[in-house]
Amino acid sequence: MAADGLVVDVREQSGVLVVRFSGRLDWITYMRAQDVLLDHATKELVGVVVELDELVAESPALLVLFDVVWLSAARWPGISLSLVVSGHELRSTLESRGLPRHIPLHSSTAAAVAAVVRLKHEDRVDAALPTCRCLPHVAERITERACERWGVQSLLDVAPQIAVELVSHVEDDSPLALLLRMRGDKLSVAVRTTARFDLRQWHIMRRNIASIAVCNFTMGETPAGGGRHIVWAMLDVPEDSRRPPSYLPEIAAFTHQG
């Protein structure tokens, strides 16, 4: 897709999302590039690789874009983001400015894809929620079934209540999506929405979730592109409560939705 001189091409390679930018990155196209990457990062496969050889940055300062996206993607949903730069000039520009500060830099797409860490245990639920008063109950039930399916018995009384807390605080006329992720020893409960929380709402929600959680947890908000945000809580799963997931036939709520 192309607009404002910036061309974005997306493809899948060995389960990894490869995004190629070409054209001009300037102060006009910066936000569109950021939205594209955040949107794809939150619809993750196992990682995102970004090809930059055909991208021309109006200013080296604009390249901080990739650190901004990396920080969001690393916090939630916890996926890897890496860059492919084979050209000496762009690589020198990046390195002279200390960029990227955190992101792996590769000289070829094949090397970047091969370096993506693939978790042994990962599963996900993306479920559209109804716009009715039963919304908290539906979110609770979907989360219960996910916990049962993934074998995290110690969180069976915790994660569903956190889902209820999240959806109960969101005031959004648009349909919400409940996003559940099981990655290694982390279980996350999240809601995708166009609504924003103010500081008072964040304080109340954090306090309520702290009273529910019986394990270490973190909370945050990740931009998802297109004016959407993902509000999430990530829980540590105790080692003595984990077992391999049971891949049994499930209800429609567990069907992956892109």
PDB file of all heavy atoms in Angstrom, residues 50-86:
ATOM      1  N   VAL A  50      11.457  -5.991   9.994  1.00  0.00           N
ATOM      2  CA  VAL A  50      11.233  -4.794   9.182  1.00  0.00           C
ATOM      3  C   VAL A  50      12.413  -4.574   8.251  1.00  0.00           C
ATOM      4  O   VAL A  50      13.562  -4.448   8.698  1.00  0.00           O
ATOM      5  CB  VAL A  50      11.041  -3.545  10.072  1.00  0.00           C
ATOM      6  CG1 VAL A  50      10.674  -2.339   9.208  1.00  0.00           C
ATOM      7  CG2 VAL A  50       9.981  -3.789  11.135  1.00  0.00           C
ATOM      8  N   GLU A  51      12.136  -4.554   6.935  1.00  0.00           N
ATOM      9  CA  GLU A  51      13.178  -4.324   5.925  1.00  0.00           C
ATOM     10  C   GLU A  51      13.257  -2.829   5.616  1.00  0.00           C
ATOM     11  O   GLU A  51      12.247  -2.199   5.275  1.00  0.00           O
ATOM     12  CB  GLU A  51      12.851  -5.106   4.656  1.00  0.00           C
ATOM     13  CG  GLU A  51      12.792  -6.619   4.871  1.00  0.00           C
ATOM     14  CD  GLU A  51      12.319  -7.361   3.635  1.00  0.00           C
ATOM     15  OE1 GLU A  51      11.526  -6.780   2.849  1.00  0.00           O
ATOM     16  OE2 GLU A  51      12.726  -8.516   3.447  1.00  0.00           O
ATOM     17  N   LEU A  52      14.481  -2.266   5.704  1.00  0.00           N
ATOM     18  CA  LEU A  52      14.630  -0.809   5.592  1.00  0.00           C
ATOM     19  C   LEU A  52      15.507  -0.348   4.432  1.00  0.00           C
ATOM     20  O   LEU A  52      15.694   0.854   4.252  1.00  0.00           O
ATOM     21  CB  LEU A  52      15.229  -0.246   6.902  1.00  0.00           C
ATOM     22  CG  LEU A  52      14.386  -0.397   8.172  1.00  0.00           C
ATOM     23  CD1 LEU A  52      15.108   0.259   9.345  1.00  0.00           C
ATOM     24  CD2 LEU A  52      13.018   0.234   7.978  1.00  0.00           C
ATOM     25  N   ASP A  53      16.047  -1.266   3.642  1.00  0.00           N
ATOM     26  CA  ASP A  53      17.023  -0.880   2.626  1.00  0.00           C
ATOM     27  C   ASP A  53      16.466   0.117   1.610  1.00  0.00           C
ATOM     28  O   ASP A  53      17.227   0.902   1.035  1.00  0.00           O
ATOM     29  CB  ASP A  53      17.553  -2.113   1.897  1.00  0.00           C
ATOM     30  CG  ASP A  53      18.643  -2.813   2.701  1.00  0.00           C
ATOM     31  OD1 ASP A  53      19.267  -2.149   3.552  1.00  0.00           O
ATOM     32  OD2 ASP A  53      18.844  -4.024   2.501  1.00  0.00           O
ATOM     33  N   GLU A  54      15.153   0.080   1.372  1.00  0.00           N
ATOM     34  CA  GLU A  54      14.571   0.956   0.355  1.00  0.00           C
ATOM     35  C   GLU A  54      13.905   2.183   0.969  1.00  0.00           C
ATOM     36  O   GLU A  54      13.176   2.916   0.292  1.00  0.00           O
ATOM     37  CB  GLU A  54      13.548   0.172  -0.477  1.00  0.00           C
ATOM     38  CG  GLU A  54      14.164  -1.000  -1.237  1.00  0.00           C
ATOM     39  CD  GLU A  54      13.119  -1.816  -1.986  1.00  0.00           C
ATOM     40  OE1 GLU A  54      11.994  -1.309  -2.175  1.00  0.00           O
ATOM     41  OE2 GLU A  54      13.424  -2.955  -2.381  1.00  0.00           O
ATOM     42  N   LEU A  55      14.161   2.424   2.258  1.00  0.00           N
ATOM     43  CA  LEU A  55      13.572   3.571   2.950  1.00  0.00           C
ATOM     44  C   LEU A  55      14.581   4.709   3.025  1.00  0.00           C
ATOM     45  O   LEU A  55      15.761   4.504   3.348  1.00  0.00           O
ATOM     46  CB  LEU A  55      13.152   3.170   4.364  1.00  0.00           C
ATOM     47  CG  LEU A  55      12.437   4.255   5.188  1.00  0.00           C
ATOM     48  CD1 LEU A  55      11.041   4.508   4.623  1.00  0.00           C
ATOM     49  CD2 LEU A  55      12.349   3.841   6.655  1.00  0.00           C
ATOM     50  N   VAL A  56      14.119   5.919   2.717  1.00  0.00           N
ATOM     51  CA  VAL A  56      14.955   7.117   2.819  1.00  0.00           C
ATOM     52  C   VAL A  56      14.365   8.018   3.894  1.00  0.00           C
ATOM     53  O   VAL A  56      13.219   8.471   3.779  1.00  0.00           O
ATOM     54  CB  VAL A  56      15.016   7.874   1.472  1.00  0.00           C
ATOM     55  CG1 VAL A  56      15.844   9.134   1.623  1.00  0.00           C
ATOM     56  CG2 VAL A  56      15.589   6.975   0.382  1.00  0.00           C
ATOM     57  N   ALA A  57      15.134   8.264   4.959  1.00  0.00           N
ATOM     58  CA  ALA A  57      14.652   9.100   6.064  1.00  0.00           C
ATOM     59  C   ALA A  57      15.061  10.545   5.836  1.00  0.00           C
ATOM     60  O   ALA A  57      16.229  10.838   5.573  1.00  0.00           O
ATOM     61  CB  ALA A  57      15.211   8.600   7.388  1.00  0.00           C
ATOM     62  N   GLU A  58      14.085  11.448   5.925  1.00  0.00           N
ATOM     63  CA  GLU A  58      14.356  12.878   5.744  1.00  0.00           C
ATOM     64  C   GLU A  58      15.336  13.374   6.804  1.00  0.00           C
ATOM     65  O   GLU A  58      16.173  14.248   6.534  1.00  0.00           O
ATOM     66  CB  GLU A  58      13.047  13.658   5.838  1.00  0.00           C
ATOM     67  CG  GLU A  58      13.196  15.155   5.642  1.00  0.00           C
ATOM     68  CD  GLU A  58      11.857  15.861   5.748  1.00  0.00           C
ATOM     69  OE1 GLU A  58      11.428  16.122   6.898  1.00  0.00           O
ATOM     70  OE2 GLU A  58      11.242  16.122   4.705  1.00  0.00           O
ATOM     71  N   SER A  59      15.215  12.827   8.012  1.00  0.00           N
ATOM     72  CA  SER A  59      16.108  13.192   9.106  1.00  0.00           C
ATOM     73  C   SER A  59      16.431  11.933   9.900  1.00  0.00           C
ATOM     74  O   SER A  59      15.549  11.110  10.150  1.00  0.00           O
ATOM     75  CB  SER A  59      15.441  14.221  10.024  1.00  0.00           C
ATOM     76  OG  SER A  59      16.159  14.349  11.249  1.00  0.00           O
ATOM     77  N   PRO A  60      17.686  11.775  10.329  1.00  0.00           N
ATOM     78  CA  PRO A  60      18.028  10.609  11.152  1.00  0.00           C
ATOM     79  C   PRO A  60      17.208  10.525  12.430  1.00  0.00           C
ATOM     80  O   PRO A  60      16.982   9.439  12.962  1.00  0.00           O
ATOM     81  CB  PRO A  60      19.512  10.837  11.460  1.00  0.00           C
ATOM     82  CG  PRO A  60      20.018  11.680  10.334  1.00  0.00           C
ATOM     83  CD  PRO A  60      18.863  12.596  10.006  1.00  0.00           C
ATOM     84  N   ALA A  61      16.727  11.659  12.918  1.00  0.00           N
ATOM     85  CA  ALA A  61      15.927  11.674  14.150  1.00  0.00           C
ATOM     86  C   ALA A  61      14.648  10.870  13.990  1.00  0.00           C
ATOM     87  O   ALA A  61      14.127  10.329  14.978  1.00  0.00           O
ATOM     88  CB  ALA A  61      15.598  13.116  14.544  1.00  0.00           C
ATOM     89  N   LEU A  62      14.151  10.751  12.764  1.00  0.00           N
ATOM     90  CA  LEU A  62      12.909  10.014  12.524  1.00  0.00           C
ATOM     91  C   LEU A  62      13.076   8.515  12.768  1.00  0.00           C
ATOM     92  O   LEU A  62      12.091   7.806  12.991  1.00  0.00           O
ATOM     93  CB  LEU A  62      12.438  10.238  11.084  1.00  0.00           C
ATOM     94  CG  LEU A  62      11.921  11.644  10.759  1.00  0.00           C
ATOM     95  CD1 LEU A  62      11.842  11.840   9.252  1.00  0.00           C
ATOM     96  CD2 LEU A  62      10.569  11.872  11.397  1.00  0.00           C
ATOM     97  N   LEU A  63      14.307   8.032  12.755  1.00  0.00           N
ATOM     98  CA  LEU A  63      14.540   6.597  12.918  1.00  0.00           C
ATOM     99  C   LEU A  63      14.265   6.126  14.343  1.00  0.00           C
ATOM    100  O   LEU A  63      14.242   4.922  14.604  1.00  0.00           O
ATOM    101  CB  LEU A  63      15.975   6.261  12.507  1.00  0.00           C
ATOM    102  CG  LEU A  63      16.298   6.546  11.037  1.00  0.00           C
ATOM    103  CD1 LEU A  63      17.770   6.336  10.748  1.00  0.00           C
ATOM    104  CD2 LEU A  63      15.443   5.666  10.118  1.00  0.00           C
ATOM    105  N   VAL A  64      14.045   7.062  15.260  1.00  0.00           N
ATOM    106  CA  VAL A  64      13.656   6.677  16.622  1.00  0.00           C
ATOM    107  C   VAL A  64      12.291   5.985  16.602  1.00  0.00           C
ATOM    108  O   VAL A  64      11.901   5.330  17.571  1.00  0.00           O
ATOM    109  CB  VAL A  64      13.629   7.915  17.542  1.00  0.00           C
ATOM    110  CG1 VAL A  64      12.388   8.777  17.278  1.00  0.00           C
ATOM    111  CG2 VAL A  64      13.670   7.492  19.014  1.00  0.00           C
ATOM    112  N   LEU A  65      11.571   6.123  15.494  1.00  0.00           N
ATOM    113  CA  LEU A  65      10.287   5.444  15.308  1.00  0.00           C
ATOM    114  C   LEU A  65      10.376   3.971  15.698  1.00  0.00           C
ATOM    115  O   LEU A  65       9.477   3.443  16.365  1.00  0.00           O
ATOM    116  CB  LEU A  65       9.875   5.572  13.840  1.00  0.00           C
ATOM    117  CG  LEU A  65       8.919   4.508  13.267  1.00  0.00           C
ATOM    118  CD1 LEU A  65       7.523   4.724  13.823  1.00  0.00           C
ATOM    119  CD2 LEU A  65       8.907   4.573  11.737  1.00  0.00           C
ATOM    120  N   PHE A  66      11.442   3.309  15.317  1.00  0.00           N
ATOM    121  CA  PHE A  66      11.523   1.868  15.532  1.00  0.00           C
ATOM    122  C   PHE A  66      11.753   1.517  17.001  1.00  0.00           C
ATOM    123  O   PHE A  66      11.299   0.479  17.474  1.00  0.00           O
ATOM    124  CB  PHE A  66      12.603   1.278  14.624  1.00  0.00           C
ATOM    125  CG  PHE A  66      12.326   1.570  13.179  1.00  0.00           C
ATOM    126  CD1 PHE A  66      13.051   2.544  12.501  1.00  0.00           C
ATOM    127  CD2 PHE A  66      11.302   0.920  12.520  1.00  0.00           C
ATOM    128  CE1 PHE A  66      12.769   2.837  11.172  1.00  0.00           C
ATOM    129  CE2 PHE A  66      11.007   1.211  11.188  1.00  0.00           C
ATOM    130  CZ  PHE A  66      11.740   2.179  10.520  1.00  0.00           C
ATOM    131  N   ASP A  67      12.443   2.386  17.731  1.00  0.00           N
ATOM    132  CA  ASP A  67      12.566   2.178  19.172  1.00  0.00           C
ATOM    133  C   ASP A  67      11.221   2.355  19.870  1.00  0.00           C
ATOM    134  O   ASP A  67      10.900   1.632  20.811  1.00  0.00           O
ATOM    135  CB  ASP A  67      13.585   3.147  19.774  1.00  0.00           C
ATOM    136  CG  ASP A  67      15.003   2.606  19.697  1.00  0.00           C
ATOM    137  OD1 ASP A  67      15.167   1.381  19.852  1.00  0.00           O
ATOM    138  OD2 ASP A  67      15.933   3.388  19.471  1.00  0.00           O
ATOM    139  N   VAL A  68      10.440   3.329  19.407  1.00  0.00           N
ATOM    140  CA  VAL A  68       9.114   3.567  19.996  1.00  0.00           C
ATOM    141  C   VAL A  68       8.231   2.336  19.818  1.00  0.00           C
ATOM    142  O   VAL A  68       7.564   1.882  20.754  1.00  0.00           O
ATOM    143  CB  VAL A  68       8.453   4.812  19.364  1.00  0.00           C
ATOM    144  CG1 VAL A  68       7.002   4.938  19.822  1.00  0.00           C
ATOM    145  CG2 VAL A  68       9.232   6.074  19.717  1.00  0.00           C
ATOM    146  N   VAL A  69       8.228   1.794  18.613  1.00  0.00           N
ATOM    147  CA  VAL A  69       7.406   0.611  18.335  1.00  0.00           C
ATOM    148  C   VAL A  69       7.942  -0.596  19.095  1.00  0.00           C
ATOM    149  O   VAL A  69       7.178  -1.388  19.651  1.00  0.00           O
ATOM    150  CB  VAL A  69       7.353   0.327  16.822  1.00  0.00           C
ATOM    151  CG1 VAL A  69       6.618  -0.979  16.548  1.00  0.00           C
ATOM    152  CG2 VAL A  69       6.669   1.486  16.095  1.00  0.00           C
ATOM    153  N   TRP A  70       9.267  -0.755  19.147  1.00  0.00           N
ATOM    154  CA  TRP A  70       9.851  -1.888  19.867  1.00  0.00           C
ATOM    155  C   TRP A  70       9.417  -1.880  21.326  1.00  0.00           C
ATOM    156  O   TRP A  70       9.078  -2.924  21.892  1.00  0.00           O
ATOM    157  CB  TRP A  70      11.372  -1.838  19.804  1.00  0.00           C
ATOM    158  CG  TRP A  70      12.021  -2.920  20.625  1.00  0.00           C
ATOM    159  CD1 TRP A  70      12.316  -4.185  20.229  1.00  0.00           C
ATOM    160  CD2 TRP A  70      12.411  -2.834  21.996  1.00  0.00           C
ATOM    161  NE1 TRP A  70      12.867  -4.901  21.268  1.00  0.00           N
ATOM    162  CE2 TRP A  70      12.938  -4.095  22.363  1.00  0.00           C
ATOM    163  CE3 TRP A  70      12.361  -1.814  22.952  1.00  0.00           C
ATOM    164  CZ2 TRP A  70      13.413  -4.358  23.645  1.00  0.00           C
ATOM    165  CZ3 TRP A  70      12.831  -2.078  24.229  1.00  0.00           C
ATOM    166  CH2 TRP A  70      13.352  -3.341  24.567  1.00  0.00           C
ATOM    167  N   LEU A  71       9.441  -0.705  21.961  1.00  0.00           N
ATOM    168  CA  LEU A  71       9.079  -0.622  23.375  1.00  0.00           C
ATOM    169  C   LEU A  71       7.648  -1.077  23.598  1.00  0.00           C
ATOM    170  O   LEU A  71       7.353  -1.826  24.540  1.00  0.00           O
ATOM    171  CB  LEU A  71       9.255   0.815  23.877  1.00  0.00           C
ATOM    172  CG  LEU A  71       8.938   1.050  25.359  1.00  0.00           C
ATOM    173  CD1 LEU A  71       9.839   0.185  26.237  1.00  0.00           C
ATOM    174  CD2 LEU A  71       9.102   2.524  25.709  1.00  0.00           C
ATOM    175  N   SER A  72       6.733  -0.657  22.718  1.00  0.00           N
ATOM    176  CA  SER A  72       5.337  -1.072  22.853  1.00  0.00           C
ATOM    177  C   SER A  72       5.182  -2.572  22.611  1.00  0.00           C
ATOM    178  O   SER A  72       4.526  -3.271  23.382  1.00  0.00           O
ATOM    179  CB  SER A  72       4.454  -0.297  21.866  1.00  0.00           C
ATOM    180  OG  SER A  72       4.389   1.074  22.214  1.00  0.00           O
ATOM    181  N   ALA A  73       5.790  -3.075  21.549  1.00  0.00           N
ATOM    182  CA  ALA A  73       5.636  -4.491  21.192  1.00  0.00           C
ATOM    183  C   ALA A  73       6.283  -5.406  22.224  1.00  0.00           C
ATOM    184  O   ALA A  73       5.791  -6.508  22.496  1.00  0.00           O
ATOM    185  CB  ALA A  73       6.225  -4.756  19.815  1.00  0.00           C
ATOM    186  N   ALA A  74       7.393  -4.953  22.829  1.00  0.00           N
ATOM    187  CA  ALA A  74       8.082  -5.782  23.809  1.00  0.00           C
ATOM    188  C   ALA A  74       7.279  -5.901  25.098  1.00  0.00           C
ATOM    189  O   ALA A  74       7.309  -6.926  25.772  1.00  0.00           O
ATOM    190  CB  ALA A  74       9.466  -5.197  24.115  1.00  0.00           C
ATOM    191  N   ARG A  75       6.565  -4.830  25.454  1.00  0.00           N
ATOM    192  CA  ARG A  75       5.768  -4.869  26.678  1.00  0.00           C
ATOM    193  C   ARG A  75       4.494  -5.683  26.468  1.00  0.00           C
ATOM    194  O   ARG A  75       4.121  -6.504  27.280  1.00  0.00           O
ATOM    195  CB  ARG A  75       5.411  -3.442  27.109  1.00  0.00           C
ATOM    196  CG  ARG A  75       6.622  -2.606  27.532  1.00  0.00           C
ATOM    197  CD  ARG A  75       6.179  -1.236  27.980  1.00  0.00           C
ATOM    198  NE  ARG A  75       5.467  -1.305  29.250  1.00  0.00           N
ATOM    199  CZ  ARG A  75       4.522  -0.423  29.613  1.00  0.00           C
ATOM    200  NH1 ARG A  75       4.152   0.530  28.780  1.00  0.00           N
ATOM    201  NH2 ARG A  75       3.929  -0.529  30.782  1.00  0.00           N
ATOM    202  N   TRP A  76       3.786  -5.433  25.399  1.00  0.00           N
ATOM    203  CA  TRP A  76       2.615  -6.233  25.024  1.00  0.00           C
ATOM    204  C   TRP A  76       2.484  -6.177  23.511  1.00  0.00           C
ATOM    205  O   TRP A  76       2.512  -5.081  22.950  1.00  0.00           O
ATOM    206  CB  TRP A  76       1.321  -5.683  25.648  1.00  0.00           C
ATOM    207  CG  TRP A  76       0.217  -6.705  25.553  1.00  0.00           C
ATOM    208  CD1 TRP A  76      -0.186  -7.557  26.535  1.00  0.00           C
ATOM    209  CD2 TRP A  76      -0.592  -7.007  24.408  1.00  0.00           C
ATOM    210  NE1 TRP A  76      -1.185  -8.377  26.070  1.00  0.00           N
ATOM    211  CE2 TRP A  76      -1.453  -8.070  24.768  1.00  0.00           C
ATOM    212  CE3 TRP A  76      -0.663  -6.523  23.102  1.00  0.00           C
ATOM    213  CZ2 TRP A  76      -2.376  -8.616  23.887  1.00  0.00           C
ATOM    214  CZ3 TRP A  76      -1.560  -7.066  22.218  1.00  0.00           C
ATOM    215  CH2 TRP A  76      -2.421  -8.104  22.619  1.00  0.00           C
ATOM    216  N   PRO A  77       2.395  -7.307  22.876  1.00  0.00           N
ATOM    217  CA  PRO A  77       2.167  -8.648  23.423  1.00  0.00           C
ATOM    218  C   PRO A  77       3.423  -9.419  23.770  1.00  0.00           C
ATOM    219  O   PRO A  77       3.345 -10.603  24.068  1.00  0.00           O
ATOM    220  CB  PRO A  77       1.415  -9.336  22.286  1.00  0.00           C
ATOM    221  CG  PRO A  77       1.958  -8.698  21.052  1.00  0.00           C
ATOM    222  CD  PRO A  77       2.232  -7.275  21.400  1.00  0.00           C
ATOM    223  N   GLY A  78       4.585  -8.775  23.752  1.00  0.00           N
ATOM    224  CA  GLY A  78       5.805  -9.475  24.130  1.00  0.00           C
ATOM    225  C   GLY A  78       6.495 -10.149  22.964  1.00  0.00           C
ATOM    226  O   GLY A  78       7.189 -11.152  23.134  1.00  0.00           O
ATOM    227  N   ILE A  79       6.333  -9.606  21.763  1.00  0.00           N
ATOM    228  CA  ILE A  79       6.950 -10.225  20.590  1.00  0.00           C
ATOM    229  C   ILE A  79       8.248  -9.503  20.227  1.00  0.00           C
ATOM    230  O   ILE A  79       8.516  -8.399  20.697  1.00  0.00           O
ATOM    231  CB  ILE A  79       6.009 -10.208  19.372  1.00  0.00           C
ATOM    232  CG1 ILE A  79       5.758  -8.756  18.930  1.00  0.00           C
ATOM    233  CG2 ILE A  79       4.713 -10.902  19.672  1.00  0.00           C
ATOM    234  CD1 ILE A  79       5.139  -8.659  17.574  1.00  0.00           C
ATOM    235  N   SER A  80       9.057 -10.133  19.393  1.00  0.00           N
ATOM    236  CA  SER A  80      10.323  -9.544  18.977  1.00  0.00           C
ATOM    237  C   SER A  80      10.120  -8.669  17.741  1.00  0.00           C
ATOM    238  O   SER A  80       9.258  -8.930  16.912  1.00  0.00           O
ATOM    239  CB  SER A  80      11.338 -10.645  18.669  1.00  0.00           C
ATOM    240  OG  SER A  80      10.931 -11.386  17.526  1.00  0.00           O
ATOM    241  N   LEU A  81      10.922  -7.630  17.655  1.00  0.00           N
ATOM    242  CA  LEU A  81      10.949  -6.755  16.487  1.00  0.00           C
ATOM    243  C   LEU A  81      12.401  -6.607  16.094  1.00  0.00           C
ATOM    244  O   LEU A  81      13.253  -6.302  16.932  1.00  0.00           O
ATOM    245  CB  LEU A  81      10.347  -5.388  16.824  1.00  0.00           C
ATOM    246  CG  LEU A  81      10.386  -4.331  15.711  1.00  0.00           C
ATOM    247  CD1 LEU A  81       9.358  -4.672  14.634  1.00  0.00           C
ATOM    248  CD2 LEU A  81      10.097  -2.941  16.275  1.00  0.00           C
ATOM    249  N   SER A  82      12.735  -6.865  14.827  1.00  0.00           N
ATOM    250  CA  SER A  82      14.110  -6.722  14.375  1.00  0.00           C
ATOM    251  C   SER A  82      14.143  -5.999  13.036  1.00  0.00           C
ATOM    252  O   SER A  82      13.147  -5.966  12.300  1.00  0.00           O
ATOM    253  CB  SER A  82      14.792  -8.092  14.264  1.00  0.00           C
ATOM    254  OG  SER A  82      14.063  -8.961  13.416  1.00  0.00           O
ATOM    255  N   LEU A  83      15.293  -5.418  12.710  1.00  0.00           N
ATOM    256  CA  LEU A  83      15.456  -4.631  11.494  1.00  0.00           C
ATOM    257  C   LEU A  83      16.438  -5.311  10.555  1.00  0.00           C
ATOM    258  O   LEU A  83      17.394  -5.962  10.984  1.00  0.00           O
ATOM    259  CB  LEU A  83      15.980  -3.228  11.832  1.00  0.00           C
ATOM    260  CG  LEU A  83      15.177  -2.393  12.827  1.00  0.00           C
ATOM    261  CD1 LEU A  83      15.841  -1.030  13.011  1.00  0.00           C
ATOM    262  CD2 LEU A  83      13.735  -2.228  12.370  1.00  0.00           C
ATOM    263  N   VAL A  84      16.194  -5.141   9.251  1.00  0.00           N
ATOM    264  CA  VAL A  84      17.097  -5.647   8.216  1.00  0.00           C
ATOM    265  C   VAL A  84      17.654  -4.454   7.453  1.00  0.00           C
ATOM    266  O   VAL A  84      16.904  -3.692   6.826  1.00  0.00           O
ATOM    267  CB  VAL A  84      16.370  -6.602   7.249  1.00  0.00           C
ATOM    268  CG1 VAL A  84      17.321  -7.028   6.124  1.00  0.00           C
ATOM    269  CG2 VAL A  84      15.836  -7.815   7.992  1.00  0.00           C
ATOM    270  N   VAL A  85      18.965  -4.269   7.530  1.00  0.00           N
ATOM    271  CA  VAL A  85      19.641  -3.186   6.820  1.00  0.00           C
ATOM    272  C   VAL A  85      20.937  -3.746   6.248  1.00  0.00           C
ATOM    273  O   VAL A  85      21.862  -4.092   6.991  1.00  0.00           O
ATOM    274  CB  VAL A  85      19.971  -2.005   7.767  1.00  0.00           C
ATOM    275  CG1 VAL A  85      20.673  -0.897   6.984  1.00  0.00           C
ATOM    276  CG2 VAL A  85      18.716  -1.477   8.437  1.00  0.00           C
ATOM    277  N   SER A  86      21.009  -3.843   4.926  1.00  0.00           N
ATOM    278  CA  SER A  86      22.238  -4.340   4.302  1.00  0.00           C
ATOM    279  C   SER A  86      23.095  -3.201   3.756  1.00  0.00           C
ATOM    280  O   SER A  86      24.309  -3.359   3.582  1.00  0.00           O
ATOM    281  CB  SER A  86      21.911  -5.322   3.173  1.00  0.00           C
ATOM    282  OG  SER A  86      21.137  -4.681   2.168  1.00  0.00           O
TER     283      SER A  86
END
